[in-house]
Amino acid sequence: VQLQASGGGLVQAGGSLRLSCAASGRTLSRYFMGWFRQAPGKEREFVAGIGWSGGSTGLAASVKGRFNISRDNAQNTVFLQMNSLKPEDTAVYYCAAAEAIATMAAYYDYWGQGTLVTVSS
């Protein structure tokens, strides 16, 4: 499956962005989907994950209450709604697909190219 992330940009602290991850090649409903981010000089970290039907989700503690992950299998797309953004949210955001529930990057088989989110103070 090929993944294409989009929706990043420059936003002021307290603002919102909605990231999208469009899949092609295979139906997205086959995969557990995750969003990761990587800030300069830091390791890639798990942000959010969502189950195959969208009924179960998980968020990293650092974004809980501010971010929300959702999916539309009919559109083969996964979303990350980011609210109350902080400068420390600045990173390249990646979507990824896994065969099983996972929060570690090593367990994801397919990755999008990343989209840059910059939050100014």
Side-chain angles (χ1 to χ4, degrees):
V1 62
Q2 291 80 45
L3 302 175
Q4 180 78 31
S6 62
L10 174 64
V11 63
Q12 287 188 334
S16 298
L17 281 175
R18 189 192 196 202
L19 305 184
S20 298
C21 176
S24 61
R26 284 185 174 179
T27 178
L28 202 63
S29 61
R30 294 184 52 167
Y31 301 98
F32 181 86
M33 296 300 297
W35 283 97
F36 288 77
R37 67 185 181 187
Q38 188 166 17
K42 294 188 177 181
E43 293 188 355
R44 193 169 297 190
E45 65 173 352
F46 173 81
V47 175
I50 187 166
W52 292 260
S53 65
S56 60
T57 62
L59 295 166
S62 58
V63 304
K64 198 166 291 185
R66 301 187 297 121
F67 290 14
N68 184 52
I69 185 171
S70 62
R71 67 192 297 164
D72 185 336
N73 287 337
Q75 294 191 19
N76 249 14
T77 306
V78 176
F79 305 97
L80 184 68
Q81 178 67 43
M82 306 186 296
N83 301 321
S84 303
L85 282 161
K86 304 175 181 180
E88 50 264 42
D89 295 318
T90 295
V92 177
Y93 284 72
Y94 300 88
C95 60
E99 300 281 354
I101 297 171
T103 59
M104 294 180 63
Y107 291 105
Y108 283 77
D109 302 300
Y110 305 98
W111 291 83
Q113 85 290 0
T115 184
L116 177 63
V117 172
T118 303
V119 184
S120 63
S121 57

